Amino acid sequence: MVNEKTLEAESGSQELSAAARRTTEELLQKMERRLSSFLASERRVWGAADERAGGAVDAVAGLVAAGGKRIRPAFCITGYLAAGGDPGNPGIVAAAAAVEMLHASGLIHDDIIDASSHRRGLPTVHAKHSALHESRAWQGESRRFGEGVALLVGDLALVYSDQLMSQAPPSVIPVWSKLRSEVMIGQYMDMTAAAEFSVDPDLSRWIALIKSGHYTIHRPLVVGASAAGRADLAPAFEKYGEAVGEAFQLRDDLLDAFGDSADTGKPAGLDFSQHKMTLLLGWAMQRDERIHQLITEPGHTPDEVRRRLVDTGVLDDVEKHISALVEQGCRAIDDVPIDPVWRSELTRMANRVAYRTA
């Protein structure tokens, strides 16, 4: 029989977890308002100068307002609170907003690179402006106009991310600088590996870590901890973030290959059409050379590739690897000096990002 003290302890733990989650959610809501007010202010400034200038801000604001999972600011805020940061400090709201704005910048550029037509269920920035150019019979080439606009709008979001981060505690600057450079190098390496399209799972894993693992989980956590003055948590957060970040990217690979675009908000099979050398494809091509030919030869269909992937048995192996990575990440914070409620919350978040369906 469970004694009353045990029940009381469990109840108390649940109440603490619920309170921690509420605090995180309140800060995320403040971040949403900060993003909205920041972009509205920019729209007024540039719209007053010239209505066309306001269109650049509108493009950023449209993507931000379209939603998204807000994974990166959630980990930034959690890292801050786990490190004992004061939830009343507006600096953490600015830092979380900056991390999300950097993500918006990356998505806008990524959509050009991947020739993606939709993001979050809406036309991508380059696709929307290409269509606008064509509908109005403007001068020049519609595709180049749309992509040029998206390049500039993505850069604008990058500038905005720095403006927001400048309002966070100065202690975040070293990790923030590293985060931004990693995103750019990771994207470059991703493009290069796609062009070469040689089977190299080790390279695929390295790209996944630098392009997604660090950028999505590890660095946002450390930004938060640094904002709270707890740089000592960085090593444990790195081990956690790399493992859970790799699991996140593997889930992303599976969703691209087998997910429903109605759920993900973007076209399915982009990794196939853009020859992305993901870890999933790298492992599969080691077992079946025909997959390489299917992807690189004209006329293949995503369904053909999917059937071959299933036949290799690699999907089961990827799921097992994701499970092992989540366990590894959670073990990394077993002894980290934070309140147990935040250890539990980080465990919950690891499972959430690794086993999401969109």
Side-chain angles (χ1 to χ4, degrees):
M1 180 181 294
V2 178
N3 62 43
E4 291 183 6
K5 286 187 177 180
T6 300
L7 290 173
E8 288 176 5
E10 289 177 353
S11 176
S13 177
Q14 289 172 358
E15 288 177 7
L16 288 171
S17 294
R21 217 161 295 162
R22 280 196 302 273
T23 302
T24 302
E25 186 57 38
E26 286 168 5
L27 287 174
L28 281 170
Q29 289 172 2
K30 287 182 180 180
M31 180 212 70
E32 297 287 356
R33 293 193 292 272
R34 182 74 185 93
L35 285 171
S36 179
S37 63
F38 175 88
L39 290 168
S41 175
E42 284 293 299
R43 182 63 176 82
R44 286 192 296 272
V45 169
W46 293 110
D50 189 299
E51 186 59 27
R52 286 166 294 194
V57 185
D58 289 340
V60 177
L63 177 62
V64 172
K69 295 176 285 294
R70 306 303 199 233
I71 291 172
R72 293 153 192 84
F75 274 104
C76 178
I77 288 168
T78 300
Y80 176 78
L81 294 173
D86 175 9
N89 183 352
I92 187 56
V93 175
V99 169
E100 184 61 24
M101 190 66 78
L102 176 66
H103 183 47
S105 171
L107 292 181
I108 294 167
H109 287 161
D110 204 33
D111 287 337
I112 305 171
I113 294 168
D114 292 344
S116 180
S117 61
H118 285 76
R119 170 72 66 178
R120 295 174 177 170
L122 299 172
T124 52
V125 173
H126 72 273
K128 179 179 179 179
H129 285 82
S130 293
L132 176 67
H133 183 282
E134 186 171 356
S135 70
R136 298 188 178 179
W138 285 344
Q139 299 299 308
E141 185 183 342
S142 296
R143 182 186 65 82
R144 286 181 62 83
F145 175 80
E147 291 179 353
V149 167
L151 283 171
L152 295 170
V153 168
D155 285 348
L156 181 63
L158 181 63
V159 171
Y160 285 163
S161 72
D162 268 349
Q163 287 181 228
L164 288 162
M165 192 59 85
S166 70
Q167 298 161 26
S171 54
V172 306
I173 298 304
V175 65
W176 174 242
S177 299
K178 186 70 173 177
L179 167 57
R180 287 177 300 157
S181 60
E182 279 177 338
V183 172
M184 307 305 174
I185 295 297
Q187 284 285 59
Y188 171 82
M189 291 299 295
D190 195 33
M191 288 180 61
T192 302
E196 294 175 357
F197 206 58
S198 58
V199 180
D200 188 346
D202 288 339
L203 176 61
S204 297
R205 182 176 179 273
W206 185 83
I207 292 171
L209 280 174
I210 193 171
K211 177 174 173 274
S212 184
H214 289 305
Y215 157 64
T216 303
I217 297 171
H218 165 209
R219 300 294 183 195
L221 269 175
V222 177
V223 166
S226 298
R230 290 290 306 277
D232 60 294
L233 297 176
F237 282 171
E238 178 178 3
K239 291 177 182 177
Y240 168 93
E242 285 193 348
V244 177
E246 185 179 350
F248 170 88
Q249 184 58 51
L250 282 168
R251 180 61 59 197
D252 222 39
D253 297 344
L254 288 172
L255 288 171
D256 181 87
F258 296 96
D260 186 336
S261 58
D263 295 327
T264 62
K266 57 184 180 180
L270 280 176
D271 289 344
F272 302 158
S273 62
Q274 297 302 313
H275 304 155
K276 291 296 181 73
M277 183 45 69
T278 64
L279 191 55
L280 168 66
L281 287 176
W283 281 349
M285 286 189 289
Q286 283 183 323
R287 304 178 186 190
D288 184 351
E289 293 181 2
R290 177 62 180 152
I291 293 174
H292 189 288
Q293 296 170 339
L294 278 174
I295 292 175
T296 55
E297 289 175 359
H300 80 273
T301 67
D303 284 343
E304 289 180 89
V305 179
R306 292 185 187 104
R307 283 196 297 270
R308 303 292 293 216
L309 286 173
V310 171
D311 290 344
T312 64
V314 74
L315 301 189
D316 288 340
D317 289 344
V318 169
E319 289 291 356
K320 290 176 184 175
H321 191 51
I322 288 173
S323 179
L325 286 166
V326 171
E327 185 178 344
Q328 176 186 329
C330 293
R331 280 202 311 268
I333 56 170
D334 274 348
D335 300 319
V336 69
I338 58 176
D339 191 299
V341 71
W342 291 109
R343 191 175 296 111
S344 297
E345 188 63 10
L346 285 168
T347 299
R348 185 190 70 82
M349 292 173 74
N351 282 275
R352 182 182 177 189
V353 300
Y355 297 106
R356 72 196 192 282
T357 57

